Amino acid sequence: MDFASAINTLIPSWISVFVLLSFFAYLAIAGSILPGKSVPGATLPDGTRIHYICNGLQLLVLLVGLLGNGVALNLISPTVIADRGLELLSATFLFSIVVTLLLYVAGRMSHNRSSSLKPHISGNFIHDWWFGIQLNPHFAGIDLKNDGVAAYQPLNSGKKPPRQKLGHINDPLPVICLDGNGNRKIAVWPVYVVKAFWLNIEFLRWDIIAERLGFMLVFGDLVWIPFTFSIQGWWLLSNKVELTTAAAIANCLVFLIGYCVFRGANKQKHIFKKNPKALIWGRPPKVIGGKLLASGYWGMARHCNYLGDLLLALSFSLPCGASSPVPYFYPIYLFILLIWRERRDEARCSEKYKEIWAEYCKLVPWRILPYVY
């Protein structure tokens, strides 16, 4: 593809704009109607608390059902996202800029003094636009922060998979996406996505609760995460990779181990916060200074959840083989990010817990990977 063609594919068409706006309209309408458990956020300085309706799984199931019916009735192409990926990327990027500029103007004009809507103005346009001015801006009664944090769903190409050679998987896309091969069905992305929606009550993200809604948060959740974390799928659409059955099984094992560590560590922390005396792996928890859990996964490494996250990211890229580093952008990026975050966490916890953290570090010397790092 030459430069001119690449530029043309980045120009949003009316179809890509319609798809994007339809998705946000769906989130706004269905998200306000569908039932879900109400989960309170953090207590704000004025004593109020935002309650979040966790209905992500219901939204996902309904969306897949609507898309399935739309495809069956020939109202929508099952490959619309794959066919217009670059257009959707540029449309979403432009949408992020326009929306955050409007949020900046609305925040500057607001005289509301509540913690959710009180303007935080530094006087520096770039700073205020980037980090946002208001914590929980609303429009027509809709929480824009919740509506704006849109998760993408992997879509099946709708093509019948080719017959496979015995002991091989000619099309590894099913390993990370939706469909199967013959009678064998292998899928890791759908499991990860569905579980994330299912467990969003437990793991309500900190940026949704505490970060103001500016370009950083909007761009991150609408552009960066959906379009970069799915590079593996985009790459496999135009590159053929053949996997042996053994390689596919090994890939699934990496995913399962990563998921067990990631999910298990976060669940143990969640349970400990709710009930510090709850059993961990069938035994009473070991607690340092009455505050820090040192049992289960947290007795193996101080940031063991990061290890699970890295293994999951690696499992999403392994089906792409080793012919190019492009599909490994996600695990490489995540590795750099988590090492930086781990160092930041260490400094913050050391300052917060002081001698308790020092004692925990002596008891659990490994940061992420036991006996290695």
Side-chain angles (χ1 to χ4, degrees):
M1 181 182 295
D2 57 29
F3 180 75
S5 299
I7 293 298
N8 288 332
T9 57
L10 283 171
I11 299 176
S13 65
W14 286 111
I15 294 179
S16 61
V17 173
F18 175 77
V19 169
L20 182 65
L21 295 181
S22 296
F23 179 55
F24 287 124
Y26 166 79
L27 290 177
I29 297 171
S32 302
I33 297 174
L34 292 179
K37 184 175 180 179
S38 178
V39 179
T43 301
L44 301 177
D46 61 1
T48 61
R49 300 180 77 174
I50 296 292
H51 284 73
Y52 300 89
I53 303 300
C54 292
N55 54 8
L57 184 58
Q58 295 92 314
L59 283 167
L60 173 62
V61 172
L62 178 60
L63 178 62
V64 172
L66 291 174
L67 289 175
N69 287 326
V71 170
L73 296 172
N74 292 321
L75 298 176
I76 186 173
S77 167
T79 61
V80 62
I81 293 180
D83 295 339
R84 300 182 180 275
L86 291 178
E87 289 183 17
L88 286 168
L89 170 62
S90 58
T92 310
F93 177 70
L94 293 173
F95 177 84
S96 301
I97 294 176
V98 171
V99 166
T100 50
L101 287 174
L102 292 175
L103 287 172
Y104 171 81
V105 173
R108 293 275 303 187
M109 296 174 62
S110 174
H111 299 288
N112 196 304
R113 308 312 296 174
S114 67
S115 295
S116 288
L117 300 176
K118 179 181 178 180
H120 296 266
I121 302 173
S122 70
N124 184 314
F125 166 75
I126 297 298
H127 178 277
D128 294 340
W129 170 70
W130 183 270
F131 291 104
I133 291 180
Q134 294 177 303
L135 182 62
N136 295 295
H138 287 67
F139 176 76
I142 298 172
D143 187 334
L144 296 180
K145 184 183 286 185
N146 278 347
D147 187 48
V149 182
Y152 72 95
Q153 284 78 46
L155 296 180
N156 187 1
S157 67
K159 299 177 182 178
K160 183 178 179 180
R163 290 188 59 83
Q164 312 295 330
K165 292 192 298 182
L166 182 62
H168 288 73
I169 297 177
N170 296 334
D171 179 12
L173 189 59
V175 178
I176 63 170
C177 292
L178 275 178
D179 212 11
N181 45 56
N183 295 322
R184 295 172 297 174
K185 291 187 177 180
I186 305 172
V188 293
W189 256 123
V191 174
Y192 185 76
V193 171
V194 170
K195 282 285 189 179
F197 280 116
W198 185 17
L199 300 172
N200 63 354
I201 293 175
E202 293 184 15
F203 307 130
L204 194 60
R205 287 168 40 189
W206 177 251
D207 50 8
I208 302 303
I209 296 175
E211 297 284 353
R212 296 192 294 273
L213 190 59
F215 181 78
M216 181 180 70
L217 187 58
V218 173
F219 173 83
D221 284 323
L222 300 189
V223 181
W224 181 255
I225 291 177
F227 288 96
T228 61
F229 287 17
S230 59
I231 283 178
Q232 308 94 326
W234 297 109
W235 191 85
L236 285 173
L237 287 174
S238 55
N239 294 273
K240 184 176 181 179
V241 177
E242 184 173 305
L243 294 179
T244 64
T245 300
I249 293 174
N251 188 108
C252 290
L253 287 176
V254 173
F255 170 80
L256 290 174
I257 293 171
Y259 182 79
C260 289
V261 174
F262 178 76
R263 161 70 176 146
N266 283 312
K267 185 177 181 180
Q268 287 177 355
K269 181 172 63 175
H270 177 72
I271 291 174
F272 176 72
K273 287 182 177 180
K274 293 181 64 176
N275 180 12
K277 295 183 180 180
L279 298 180
I280 300 294
W281 286 349
R283 298 180 180 181
K286 185 170 185 178
V287 182
I288 305 297
K291 297 181 178 180
L292 300 178
L293 176 64
S295 293
Y297 289 106
W298 302 97
M300 299 171 63
R302 301 196 295 273
H303 307 277
C304 49
N305 54 330
Y306 292 170
L307 173 61
D309 218 353
L310 289 169
L311 289 174
L312 285 171
L314 181 62
S315 74
F316 300 148
S317 298
L318 286 175
C320 300
S323 62
S324 171
V326 173
Y328 290 87
F329 171 83
Y330 175 33
I332 292 172
Y333 159 78
L334 192 63
F335 176 79
I336 296 171
L337 174 68
L338 292 183
I339 292 297
W340 170 77
R341 181 180 291 178
E342 173 265 319
R343 294 303 178 97
R344 185 187 62 179
D345 292 345
E346 289 279 324
R348 187 175 67 249
C349 290
S350 178
E351 181 180 355
K352 180 178 180 179
Y353 297 109
K354 297 181 170 51
E355 65 276 358
I356 298 177
W357 184 257
E359 183 180 352
Y360 178 51
C361 291
K362 290 181 181 179
L363 182 65
V364 185
W366 308 109
R367 295 170 180 259
I368 296 178
L369 182 59
Y371 304 103
V372 176
Y373 176 75

